[in-house]
Amino acid sequence: MKSRNEYEKRIKKVIITEEEIKAKTADCAKKINELYEGKPLLLVSILNGAFVFMADLCRAVTVPCEIGFMAASSYYSGTVSSGNVKITLDLVQDISQYHIVIVEDIIDTGRTLKDIYELLKKRNPLSIRIVTLLDKPSRRQVEFNADISLFTIPDIFVIGYGLDCGEYYRNLPYIAEYDTQE
């Protein structure tokens, strides 16, 4: 258990404020509303990191939609993907009758999300799109991009708004750079 002082001193600086997140989330919801008016929509959150973003985004979406959750772990050896994604929590819906929007917290290397995308694509949804809160393209190891990225960030370790370090900091209402120097 961390003390409050130890906890707070690792927050190097805020890089995206709570207000900036709210504004971009509202803009993203507006795009989703325009794209999916009158269509069967399933928002799929990738746990654990995307749960805060998903909660705010789905409240801002005004078209009828359902939500679902997935969790996955990937096993990689060094810098080479094993090609295997272990789904630890899967969707209960038959997605063949839905337009799918995968809601992600951050795209870094892109490997796991690309594998999840390919898995869902094989289940024949009506369409599939990716929305990510954060995009870190400088770390990409596979060809994979989101359809909507709210923020592009440099190669720094970030925490807050669902993103963690050792399961801490998810509850911060903003995105901050984590001080890795200690």
Side-chain angles (χ1 to χ4, degrees), residues 39-41 95-100 123-128:
K39 298 177 181 175
L41 175 61
I95 66 170
S96 66
Q97 301 303 309
Y98 291 93
H99 294 275
I100 304 297
R123 296 178 184 175
N124 300 313
L126 299 173
S127 69
I128 187 167

Side-chain angles (χ1 to χ4, degrees), residues 11-75:
I11 301 170
K12 190 170 183 177
K13 67 179 177 181
V14 174
I15 62 165
I16 304 170
T17 67
E18 183 177 3
E19 294 75 24
E20 290 171 315
I21 294 168
K22 285 179 181 177
K24 290 274 192 154
T25 300
D27 289 345
C28 181
K30 184 178 177 185
K31 289 177 188 171
I32 290 171
N33 292 335
E34 291 168 1
L35 285 168
Y36 297 104
E37 177 64 44
K39 298 177 181 175
L41 175 61
L42 176 63
L43 302 175
V44 178
S45 177
I46 308 301
L47 296 175
N48 285 340
F51 81 100
V52 175
F53 178 40
M54 171 67 133
D56 288 343
L57 181 63
C58 76
R59 283 191 300 253
V61 168
T62 58
V63 297
C65 66
E66 293 181 38
I67 62 170
F69 297 91
M70 292 185 75
S73 60
S74 299
Y75 298 93

Side-chain angles (χ1 to χ4, degrees), residues 1 7 26 29 37 42 53 55 59 75 111 141 143 150 155 157 172-173:
M1 177 181 232
Y7 182 80
E37 177 64 44
L42 176 63
F53 178 40
R59 283 191 300 253
Y75 298 93
R111 294 186 295 194
Q141 294 181 4
E143 281 293 320
L150 276 64
D155 186 12
F157 193 91
L172 297 175

Side-chain angles (χ1 to χ4, degrees), residues 89-104:
L89 176 66
D90 205 348
L91 296 172
V92 296
Q93 296 92 336
D94 170 4
I95 66 170
S96 66
Q97 301 303 309
Y98 291 93
H99 294 275
I100 304 297
V101 174
I102 298 174
V103 179
E104 181 64 297

